Amino acid sequence: MGALSRADGAGPSRASSPTVPEVVLAVDGGGSKTDVVAIALDGTLVGHARGPGSNPQTRGWELAGPILDDVRGRVVDALDGARIRTTHVYLAGLDLPDELTAATAALAHWDADGGAPDVLDNDLFALLRAGTLSPDAAAVVCGTGINALAVRADGASARFPAIGDVSGDWGGGAYLGNRALWHAARAEDGRGPATALVQAVPAALGLDTVRAVTEAVHFGRLDQRVFNRLCPVLFEVAASGDTVAARVVARQAEEIVLLASVALERLGLGASAAVPVVLGGGVLAARHPLLVDAVVGGLRERVPGAEPTWVTAPPVLGAGLAALESVGASAEALERYRAAVLSRSFASTTALIA
């Protein structure tokens, strides 16, 4: 399940002109947001725009495609004649070969302005690049959803289908929020153990009872995005010492450890002396102490050589670094871009080329 990499001369080998500025484009589309950046070859961040999530697996291309077109279009329209040297696109939901094929077709029209993707793959690769340069490594993303991969120096990778219950997935922000409501509902009507979630869940949504939340979801007064809003509630209640909520957090940590360790073991890296495990996505990036401690302890037990690396920067950092590296950008350029991403707030704005 490798990335799409163009080898037809339309990527890094495009002819250049000393009078026309060149940029690389990098795209990261996740479950909750989409970032597109334009970067000059010296690493200067010259354009950025943000939009809603563009995971085609959950939204479908009929919604994801226009979102990507809009966010990218805002950046490209501001380039003022600069040539796009290469485009790297990393999207959540590109887990299967057929999904990569569909994505290639859906974004082919970007070639009209010279910006069709030269690299197109799962957003885990952007997270991995943001966290490590090691050729042997694993990455786990736990944001709206959850997924993992491992890579080896010879180019081999271990991946998971990551398409929900049918592929054995467990966790992610939406799922955890769902569990918060599930436990609250059972506690309120007596089917489950007592938990402070009974008070915390409706309070977070401005309602009086868990039953009111359940009915609001059922009748569509609250949409499915409500579960992402309930994920932080689960962690707050767990941190207060609530046993029910703490068990859910512990189960999430167990799944994160399991994903990383199994991926590494499938590549024969489980016994490596030292191997980075890059951890990112909104749930992991929040660095909740209960989750952090359980993940670190679990990795130490199952993969003694694991070196947890927490990435709190936007995943588009890794996407941009990969794009710059593909055109031979200098170490100074890479660091300039990294510093630009880490020093700015990625709001929904577009910066123009100077």
Side-chain angles (χ1 to χ4, degrees), residues 125-136:
F125 286 95
L127 172 63
L128 190 69
R129 177 58 190 87
T132 183
L133 282 172
S134 174
D136 297 331

Side-chain angles (χ1 to χ4, degrees), residues 275-293:
V275 58
V277 176
V278 179
L279 302 162
V283 174
L284 279 164
R287 301 292 300 269
H288 299 286
L290 281 178
L291 188 65
V292 169
D293 291 346

Side-chain angles (χ1 to χ4, degrees), residues 88-157:
H88 282 219
V89 179
Y90 299 93
L91 303 177
L94 299 188
D95 299 299
L96 302 171
D98 286 351
E99 290 169 332
L100 284 168
T101 299
T104 302
L107 302 181
H109 63 282
W110 288 3
D111 200 35
D113 54 20
D118 300 300
V119 173
L120 177 59
D121 212 338
N122 190 279
D123 63 343
L124 272 165
F125 286 95
L127 172 63
L128 190 69
R129 177 58 190 87
T132 183
L133 282 172
S134 174
D136 297 331
V140 181
V141 61
C142 188
T144 300
I146 189 166
N147 199 1
L149 65 79
V151 296
R152 196 170 59 198
D154 62 2
S157 65

